[in-house]
Amino acid sequence: QKEVEQNSGPLSVPEGAIASLNCTYSDRGSQSFFWYRQYSGKSPELIMSIYSNGDKEDGRFTAQLNKASQYVSLLIRDSQPSDSATYLCAVKRNYGQNFVFGPGTRLSVLP
Amino acid sequence: GAGVSQSPSNKVTEKGKDVELRCDPISGHTALYWYRQSLGQGLEFLIYFQGNSAPDKSGLPSDRFSAERTGGSVSTLTIQRTQQEDSAVYLCASSLTGGAFYEQYFGPGTRLTVT
């Protein structure tokens, strides 16, 4: 089992819809969780971080964390074609090389 | 403020040559990470520096790869005797510290092409 798993996609949603991106992790000691967006040919860009169970909202983005289920998700409301990118989930352990990235989910928002 | 910078942005080299890639982290950031990303692939961890601690080199793919960080700031990734499979984008990232609740910020990357 990989430490951080994501559906590779592509996930296609129509413009204006809610895009839901999911991530599971295996290390129960993980303490913090991050979502990055990566446009083709560009480097990853931090969207959100979440540390506590529950929801965290920032504009059109909502991150959800459930540590008991070892699950973190990102919701994008009112999806726009400009949201089309690969979304990387990252989990931070509290030891060693502590950032672990998932393989990413490719999102395509169709106009 | 200034973000993570990397140089060069592109590097084309012949197989067998050595290359050096440079990373300037965000000022004051003590944690520095190197990754590589092959075309269409995920991020592959290479090496992690945290302050004055011994670096975590567990991701370096072979002994042709090495990295150093001088004065706790600038880092250089060196690839000796480059091979075609080394062609990838090399990404550097920094974080305020290696602690649990600090985000990581990426530089623009260096695209390495080995011919």
Side-chain angles (χ1 to χ4, degrees):
Chain A
Q1 180 189 10
K2 293 186 178 178
E3 194 160 350
V4 180
E5 299 202 48
Q6 298 180 254
N7 290 328
S8 61
L11 172 66
S12 295
V13 299
E15 184 174 357
I18 296 175
S20 178
L21 303 161
N22 304 317
C23 171
T24 57
Y25 60 95
S26 61
D27 184 355
R28 285 193 172 275
S30 301
Q31 295 193 302
S32 47
F33 308 85
F34 307 88
W35 283 99
Y36 288 82
R37 176 175 62 197
Q38 187 174 25
Y39 291 114
S40 181
K42 300 294 186 182
S43 61
E45 168 193 13
L46 179 69
I47 299 175
M48 290 188 71
S49 56
I50 186 167
Y51 310 128
S52 303
N53 280 328
D55 295 359
K56 179 180 178 183
E57 187 175 318
D58 184 359
R60 295 186 296 112
F61 299 98
T62 299
Q64 299 175 316
L65 175 62
N66 183 327
K67 289 186 179 180
S69 299
Q70 295 174 245
Y71 175 92
V72 58
S73 65
L74 180 70
L75 301 178
I76 307 174
R77 289 182 300 282
D78 188 23
S79 296
Q80 301 297 309
S82 58
D83 294 325
S84 298
T86 296
Y87 288 80
L88 302 170
C89 171
V91 171
K92 201 169 188 185
R93 302 174 288 191
N94 198 28
Y95 61 91
Q97 186 292 106
N98 49 21
F99 260 98
V100 182
F101 283 85
T105 297
R106 191 155 54 94
L107 172 67
S108 179
V109 180
L110 307 173
Chain B
V4 179
S5 60
Q6 293 186 245
S7 60
S9 55
N10 279 285
K11 177 72 177 178
V12 179
T13 190
E14 292 181 353
K15 177 181 172 180
K17 301 282 190 183
D18 298 352
V19 295
E20 285 190 352
L21 312 179
R22 176 187 167 105
C23 172
D24 257 296
I26 293 171
S27 178
H29 280 198
T30 63
L32 187 148
Y33 307 75
W34 281 100
Y35 299 89
R36 76 176 174 183
Q37 189 172 37
S38 301
L39 190 62
Q41 301 300 307
L43 291 171
E44 177 187 3
F45 164 74
L46 296 177
I47 189 168
Y48 161 55
F49 295 90
Q50 170 52 59
N52 295 321
S53 301
D56 179 345
K57 305 179 183 180
S58 60
L60 294 178
S62 77
D63 59 9
R64 296 186 295 105
F65 287 73
S66 62
E68 62 177 22
R69 188 177 185 192
T70 52
S73 181
V74 171
S75 177
T76 302
L77 177 69
T78 301
I79 309 173
Q80 295 179 312
R81 306 181 302 282
T82 51
Q83 304 294 312
Q84 287 186 330
E85 61 263 28
D86 299 334
S87 295
V89 175
Y90 289 80
L91 291 161
C92 175
S94 73
S95 181
L96 187 60
T97 79
F101 304 106
Y102 295 96
E103 295 112 346
Q104 190 175 102
Y105 298 92
F106 284 84
T110 293
R111 181 175 299 277
L112 175 67
T113 303
V114 182
T115 61

